Amino acid sequence: MVGVPHACRMGPLLILVSASCFGAMAIFGKLAYAAGVPASTLVLLRFAVASAILVAAVAVVRLRSGQPALPVAVGKSRRRLVMTALALGGVGYAAQASFYFAALEWIDAALVALVLYTFPVLVTLASVTLGRDRLTPARVAALLAATCGTALVLVGAGALSFDTAGVTLAFAAALTYTVYILVGESTVQQVPALTLTALVMVGATLTLALRALLTGGLSLDLTLAGWGWIVCIALVSTVVASTTFFAGLRHTGPSTASILSTFEPVATVGLAAVVLGERLGAIQVVGAGLVLSSVMLVQLGRRPVVDVPVPVLGTDTDTDTGTRSNDTDRVASRSCRHGCRDY
């Protein structure tokens, strides 16, 4: 099948780019807190700025291509997809981000990440239970390597201050993110990654804005440095991170995407060493090596497979804004669920 090798490479690569951008968020978040930005304000403005950027990007792509933002027939199908995407942001992502940033106020960033990164195990078990993925030897080995490597990278950062409330919030973020990935994986097969990301961010912004109106938790009296870190989080750790994640998830599937996402704490520790001058210990280097080995194991377990096509939502005239997909491509993407996903 033409293009399969390219997609096999691009899916994991996009997830790794996403993980690197998400990995920068802990650094940006700590710097924003140091600049006096409250957690509730940081979360809301992160999504609000990201929404503005993404909506503008979708509009530009639509004008240049002349194609609709949603490649499905009008009617209930379009409305259902829009509502699902908005709910992903308004319920799933908004809750996950709120739990994450709240946990950062109680415990160290390393412990927040350590608890959060139980989600690859949760996603893999859920995917296998739902019949979306298979628990192959390569996937099990990759999951073990990624989990152990993540633990070594984070524990190697030093003593972790434990607080029950902070750990509970971090685990709530992991559970929420698990559901977010599973729902997002099925939705991104029918909606372009850029459009889906824009809808998710708009949904999150609406929910958080409503919460701010009810609680009065929004403060715009910020320093220039504070605004700068908010823009960094919005652009790098939200727009780029989320768009590349959905684009990669389209090809890799939920469990593989979650395993590859364990590169995020490696990126966080690396950036902390470069930006904040923190030293990398030997145990962290070993942990990073294990995480990187999981990437190789995932690739060894991936091969082009073309099964009986699984019908997906759309018509012969459907087009996909900003992507290469058409009806044949989307069938290929869904039929390669247990091997390499192609367009």
Side-chain angles (χ1 to χ4, degrees), residues 110-111 114 148-160 269 283-284:
L111 184 54
L114 183 60
C148 293
T150 300
L152 290 176
V153 167
L154 297 172
V155 172
L160 302 177
V269 171
I283 191 173
Q284 292 176 299

Side-chain angles (χ1 to χ4, degrees), residues 315-319 327:
T315 64
D316 291 339
T317 59
D318 289 344
T319 54
D327 278 349

Side-chain angles (χ1 to χ4, degrees), residues 170-339:
F171 189 65
L175 288 174
T176 307
Y177 199 48
T178 297
V179 177
Y180 173 83
I181 289 175
L182 294 172
V183 177
E185 185 268 341
S186 60
T187 307
V188 79
Q189 301 298 332
Q190 305 170 67
V191 181
L194 185 63
T195 301
L196 177 58
T197 308
L199 289 170
V200 167
M201 297 309 153
V202 169
T205 301
L206 292 175
T207 295
L208 294 170
L210 178 61
R211 187 182 72 177
L213 287 174
L214 295 176
T215 63
L218 179 63
S219 173
L220 298 179
D221 185 18
L222 306 175
T223 64
L224 183 61
W227 280 107
W229 296 125
I230 288 172
V231 171
C232 287
I233 291 177
L235 184 59
V236 177
S237 300
T238 307
V239 173
V240 177
S242 296
T243 303
T244 52
F245 178 79
F246 280 130
L249 179 63
R250 183 181 186 120
H251 306 298
T252 64
S255 60
T256 296
S258 65
I259 292 170
L260 293 174
S261 292
T262 57
F263 185 71
E264 178 180 333
V266 176
T268 299
V269 171
L271 287 170
V274 174
V275 177
L276 304 179
E278 298 180 4
R279 295 183 59 184
L280 287 176
I283 191 173
Q284 292 176 299
V285 175
V286 173
L290 283 173
V291 172
L292 293 176
S293 71
S294 72
V295 177
M296 298 176 63
L297 288 169
V298 164
Q299 286 297 89
L300 288 175
R302 287 163 59 81
R303 64 186 186 280
V305 177
V306 180
D307 298 324
V308 177
V310 179
V312 296
L313 189 62
T315 64
D316 291 339
T317 59
D318 289 344
T319 54
D320 197 346
T321 303
T323 71
R324 297 169 46 213
S325 299
N326 54 29
D327 278 349
T328 302
D329 297 334
R330 286 194 295 273
V331 167
S333 177
R334 300 303 292 274
S335 65
C336 296
R337 181 174 300 279
H338 299 303

Side-chain angles (χ1 to χ4, degrees), residues 103-144:
L104 280 177
E105 293 188 295
W106 289 87
I107 55 179
D108 295 335
L111 184 54
V112 173
L114 183 60
V115 177
L116 175 64
Y117 273 85
T118 58
F119 83 82
V121 176
L122 299 176
V123 169
T124 299
L125 293 177
S127 297
V128 172
T129 301
L130 295 172
R132 294 188 182 186
D133 278 320
R134 295 183 301 175
L135 204 58
T136 63
R139 182 166 284 139
V140 171
L143 182 62
L144 290 174

Side-chain angles (χ1 to χ4, degrees), residues 54 62 65 67 77 84 91 99 134 138 147 164 208 224 234 239 265 283 286-287 292 317 341:
L54 286 162
R62 181 177 181 181
S65 65
Q67 298 175 346
S77 297
T84 299
V91 179
F99 288 138
R134 295 183 301 175
T147 302
T164 302
L208 294 170
L224 183 61
V239 173
I283 191 173
V286 173
L292 293 176
T317 59
R341 295 191 172 201

Side-chain angles (χ1 to χ4, degrees), residues 1-14 251 299 302 304 324 340-343:
M1 177 177 172
V2 177
V4 167
H6 175 70
C8 284
R9 292 190 302 269
M10 287 304 298
L13 179 60
L14 288 167
H251 306 298
Q299 286 297 89
R302 287 163 59 81
R324 297 169 46 213
C340 172
R341 295 191 172 201
D342 192 13
Y343 284 98

